[in-house]
Amino acid sequence: MNKKIAVIRGDGIGPEIVNEAIKVLDKVAEKFGHTFEYINADMGGCAIDKYGDPLPQHELDKCLSADSVLLGAVGGPKWDSVPGNLRPEKGLLRIRAGMGVYSNNRPAKIWPQLASASPLKPEIVEKGIDFIIVRELIGGVYFGEHKTYEQGGEKVSEDVMKYSESEIERIGRIGFETARKRRKKLCSVEKSNVLDTSRLWKAVIHRLAEEYPDVELTDMLVDNCAMQIVKNPAQFDVIVTENMFGDILSDEASMITGSIGMIPSSSLGAGSNGLYEPIHGSAPDIAGQDKANPIGTVLSAAMMLRFSFDMPKEADSIEAAVNKVLSDGYRTGDIMQEGMKRVGCAEMGSLIAQAI
Ligand code: IPM
Ligand code: MG
């Protein structure tokens, strides 16, 4: 197959980790007889420097015309003082909205080789950690009106959180469908004891549940969910939640698996063109030092093959290669353990590519 992949390296460690994912994709292409054509697109701080805009329309157009998008990370202290609507992160929100990718899928799965890197007690980890957070990605408070104004001699700010039934329904469906392909347990997370958007969320999810009698649905308040993720993560199969709750819970979920550097994500909408990115940020403190863990990005590339290109064997080969390299004892700094072999970002990428 011939596929066009838009590549956004972005800022900080973005370029290093994306280069390793491309190394791995090239090896897959060679082994399975595919051609991957890469189109570079600028987004984030580097686009602000070049064009004065974190995602100019011509760069978004490149992404829309590709078969999928592979993204490293954006942002950094250099752009901390630019106005809110021109921040690097705005580019990320605009590409998500521009591609219409409302469903963000973030797996939290422990690699047995890294079990001791989890901050949780062994008796909790032993029960298993293998769940997915399905995060609504293009609605809620992230996309409501944001404003700051003077009132009564002081500054006041507002961020509007808004959800419609149809927005909740389409992400709810992804939650149920995802659970149906797994252990058939869906936990809907909200704050219905306080928020109207959450009460609507809960009502829509329960209405949908009638279409999925084979899936066991539970409701959980977001504060309790934050607690349950560290207390008894084995109880979760699929969590479906709104944008900001999903942002927060997915960082927590990644940490209990050992390192945020290991976690990939896929974002999909109505079509097959998806956005694939590790869930971590641009880590400016270690950028350009060959210290970053490229595995989250490499596994994001595997998700691209699986979900957008319908190449399950190829995706399996990447995941098996990561498994082998970890079993062989290779570790980047963030997952380093005693007795293991410490490698840099580029060597980790090469080792995974070789193992394909
Ligand atoms: C994420 C990130 C982004 C988000 C930031 C960088 C805007 O934290 O992908 O989780 O909040 O969605
Ligand atoms: Mg986040």
Side-chain angles (χ1 to χ4, degrees), residues 93 103 127 150 233 319:
L93 301 190
S103 168
K127 289 203 271 170
E150 294 281 336
E319 287 162 7

Side-chain angles (χ1 to χ4, degrees), residues 89 92-93 96 106 135 142 243 247 250-251 277 279:
E89 291 80 0
L92 186 55
L93 301 190
R96 289 171 176 171
R106 299 187 162 188
R135 168 186 176 194
Y142 274 55
N243 202 346
D247 176 46
S250 62
D251 268 31
E277 49 172 324
I279 77 160

